[in-house]
């Protein structure tokens, strides 16, 4: 792989007992050293450690045996181990300083749309994630990925990210009681005098302040700070402990294989739609993230290409497949890895350090179980803020781009479904282009995707 030549720290090469590590990860060529890489790995981990709390909190709504939350501990293990495995592949195979974990947004789609919305058993949903991972591996090997990427309009790609941001924030506001159902207006302002809602708003102020001050790990510290205040004030009970040896995820491990037997018994178009959305969101989220991280780390060459990026895609695909077997939704590369890059991390050793920290973190399940749901809401809202920034890349003066993007963004929270928003955007774009007399600007692939979603409405939603 071509080595990065820009934005590199001027650290001396590593020496002494770390020579073998330095040689394997090519510290000298990357102008980094052992200390810098360790600090970078720790920084990236702290920045995105909130996922260890938020992902189980979201998936607990859909993945449980008798009642919501009864598999929280196992979901923490699944989250931590899947993140560690995927990040380890990124470290040792791709040798890049990027971290992976179950993705935000797609976990909400898994829980609230596929399982709760469509009534599909969570084991079947895990099977769909497993199939998505296998398809992603094949697409990476055969390079089919690039052909699909070219078929999707840039406006819809950006709108999908922004729409998911709104969807996540909407879920957070609802879960914290900041907004509430209303027969007259569908939703309205919630009871702000409720202790839980008041704590969520206070937590949002704390998290926003830390984020605005660019404090490393602002989302994690916001969650922990809100939780501690809730415990001290008696709004939420204290955790039962700090550390414990985690129980094996026996109720989650391998359930994707159980779901495979049932997956093909559900409606064909529903199955295709579910797998496609899993694949689509993971695909373009990963493309955007890797492009941004690669540019920040100096891996993008003079032609705008990222040499060796397919290895990073493979790490993502393997992580998704392994994550489904462990019992969690799609694993993807995290943009929070940029915090470690900013600290000078340039090699896979940064990711290796973070992978080890993910494994150690699962020892703190008693503490994580004591964190109230409303304490995670501020972090989700800030994640929504970050994802909404993608909307600025949309050409709002171009009718096809604007209409398709708007429908994609607005339908995700209002229909409470990422799939519906994506479907609306993919159908609208080629139609508006046709109305403009610009069919030549749409590809055959675009029309095929639009037809797939249109047929889904005719044979599934229409019934």
């Amino acid at each position: 792989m071509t080595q990065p030549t820009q934005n590199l720290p001027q650290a001396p090469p590593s020496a002494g007992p770390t020579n073998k590590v330095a040689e394997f990860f090519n510290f000298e060529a990357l102008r980094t050293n052992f200390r810098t890489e360790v600090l970078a790995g720790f920084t990236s981990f702290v920045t995105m450690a909130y996922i260890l709390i938020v992902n189980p909190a979201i998936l607990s709504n859909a993945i449980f045996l008798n009642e919501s939350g009864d598999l929280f501990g196992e979901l923490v293990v699944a989250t931590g181990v899947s993140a560690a495995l995927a990040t380890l592949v990124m470290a040792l195979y791709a040798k890049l300083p990027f971290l992976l974990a179950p993705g935000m947004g797609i976990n909400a789609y898994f829980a609230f749309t596929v399982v709760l919305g469509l009534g599909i058993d969570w084991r079947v949903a895990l099977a769909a994630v497993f199939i998505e991972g296998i398809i992603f591996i094949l697409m990476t090997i055969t390079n089919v990925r690039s052909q699909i990427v070219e078929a999707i309009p840039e406006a819809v790609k950006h709108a999908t990210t922004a729409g998911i941001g709104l969807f996540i924030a909407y879920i957070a506001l609802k879960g914290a009681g900041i907004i509430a159902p209303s027969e007259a207006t569908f939703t309205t302002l919630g009871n702000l005098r409720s202790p839980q809602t008041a704590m969520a708003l206070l937590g949002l102020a704390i998290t926003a302040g830390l984020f605005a001050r660019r404090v490393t790990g602002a989302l994690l510290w916001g969650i922990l700070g809100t939780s501690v205040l809730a415990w001290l004030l008696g709004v939420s009970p204290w955790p039962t402990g700090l550390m414990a040896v985690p129980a094996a995820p026996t109720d989650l491990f391998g359930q994707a294989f159980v779901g495979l037997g049932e997956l093909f018994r559900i409606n064909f178009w529903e199955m295709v739609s579910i797998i496609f959305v899993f694949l689509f969101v993971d695909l373009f989220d990963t493309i955007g993230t890797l492009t941004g991280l690669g540019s920040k780390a100096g891996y993008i060459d003079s032609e705008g290409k990222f040499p060796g990026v397919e290895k990073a895609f493979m790490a993502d695909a393997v992580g998704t497949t392994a994550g489904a077997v462990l019992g969690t939704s799609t694993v993807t590369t995290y943009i929070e890895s940029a915090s470690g890059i900013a600290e000078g991390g340039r090699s896979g050793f940064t990711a290796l350090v973070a992978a080890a920290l993910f494994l150690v973190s699962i020892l703190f399940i008693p503490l994580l179980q004591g964190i109230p749901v409303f304490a995670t809401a501020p972090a989700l809202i800030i994640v929504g803020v970050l994802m909404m920034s993608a909307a600025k890349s949309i050409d709002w003066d171009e009718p096809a781009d604007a209409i398709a993007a708007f429908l994609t963004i607005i339908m995700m929270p209002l229909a409470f479904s990422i799939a519906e928003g994506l479907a609306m955007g993919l159908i609208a774009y080629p139609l508006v282009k046709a109305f403009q007399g610009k069919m030549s600007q749409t590809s055959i692939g675009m029309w095929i995707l639009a037809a797939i979603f249109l047929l889904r409405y005719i044979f599934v939603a229409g019934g």
Side-chain angles (χ1 to χ4, degrees), residues 74 78 122 126 248-258 322-327:
E74 292 193 20
W122 58 266
L126 286 175
T250 53
D251 294 307
L252 288 179
F253 185 79
Q255 292 303 305
F257 299 126
V258 176
V325 175
L326 288 166

Side-chain angles (χ1 to χ4, degrees), residues 327-389:
T328 187
S329 54
T330 303
V331 173
T332 188
T333 309
Y334 265 66
I335 196 65
E336 282 86 348
S337 304
S339 62
I341 293 172
E343 292 291 339
R346 291 297 182 272
S347 79
F349 193 68
T350 291
L352 184 63
V353 170
L357 291 172
F358 274 123
L359 281 180
V360 172
S361 66
I362 64 177
L363 296 173
F364 294 88
I365 289 178
L367 172 64
L368 299 179
Q369 283 182 314
I371 293 175
V373 174
F374 59 79
T376 64
L380 291 175
I381 293 170
I382 299 300
V383 169
V385 172
L386 295 172
M387 297 182 77
M388 270 300 296
S389 65

Side-chain angles (χ1 to χ4, degrees), residues 85-385:
L85 286 174
T87 303
L88 189 64
V89 175
M90 184 70 79
L92 301 180
Y93 177 63
K95 296 185 179 180
L96 292 169
F98 307 153
L99 280 59
L100 300 93
M104 290 297 302
I106 197 67
N107 53 7
Y109 172 71
F110 179 102
F112 297 104
T113 298
V114 177
V115 179
L116 299 180
L118 299 177
I120 292 174
D121 186 85
W122 58 266
R123 298 166 186 84
V124 177
L126 286 175
V129 175
F130 179 79
I131 291 177
E132 175 226 339
I134 298 298
I135 293 174
F136 205 2
I137 290 174
L138 295 175
M139 288 173 58
T140 303
I141 294 173
T142 60
N143 206 32
V144 173
R145 170 193 56 81
S146 60
Q147 298 177 32
I148 295 181
V149 171
E150 294 174 1
I152 306 295
E154 290 295 321
V156 177
K157 295 177 190 175
H158 297 310
T160 299
T161 301
I164 291 174
L166 276 183
F167 186 45
I168 290 174
Y170 181 74
I171 292 171
L173 292 169
K174 182 173 179 291
I178 298 174
I179 59 174
S182 169
E183 292 185 5
T185 60
F186 301 107
T187 58
T188 187
L189 190 64
N191 179 14
L192 303 187
R193 294 183 179 181
S194 163
Q196 291 80 10
T197 302
M199 285 303 307
L201 289 171
L202 178 59
L204 179 58
I206 293 171
T207 307
L210 294 172
F211 178 76
R213 297 291 299 179
R214 303 187 183 279
V215 173
T216 299
L219 302 187
L220 175 63
W221 301 131
I223 292 173
L224 294 178
T226 306
S227 299
V228 170
L229 284 175
W231 298 331
L232 290 172
L233 296 174
V235 178
S236 183
W238 284 86
T240 56
L242 179 63
M243 296 178 64
V245 177
T250 53
D251 294 307
L252 288 179
F253 185 79
Q255 292 303 305
F257 299 126
V258 176
L260 280 174
E262 300 292 328
L263 179 62
F264 295 96
R265 296 183 184 179
I266 67 176
N267 183 284
F268 174 78
W269 292 107
E270 206 68 76
M271 179 191 70
V272 170
S273 175
I274 291 168
I275 294 175
F276 178 79
V277 172
F278 278 139
L279 187 67
F280 177 91
V281 175
D282 188 18
L283 183 66
F284 293 110
D285 182 63
T286 303
I287 289 172
T289 300
L290 288 177
T291 300
L293 293 175
S295 177
K296 187 174 182 63
Y299 277 98
I300 307 297
D301 62 23
S302 58
E303 297 179 358
K305 297 180 179 180
F306 189 162
V309 72
E310 292 301 326
K311 290 186 176 181
F313 276 109
M314 184 58 74
D316 189 277
V318 170
T320 290
T321 307
V325 175
L326 288 166
T328 187
S329 54
T330 303
V331 173
T332 188
T333 309
Y334 265 66
I335 196 65
E336 282 86 348
S337 304
S339 62
I341 293 172
E343 292 291 339
R346 291 297 182 272
S347 79
F349 193 68
T350 291
L352 184 63
V353 170
L357 291 172
F358 274 123
L359 281 180
V360 172
S361 66
I362 64 177
L363 296 173
F364 294 88
I365 289 178
L367 172 64
L368 299 179
Q369 283 182 314
I371 293 175
V373 174
F374 59 79
T376 64
L380 291 175
I381 293 170
I382 299 300
V383 169
V385 172

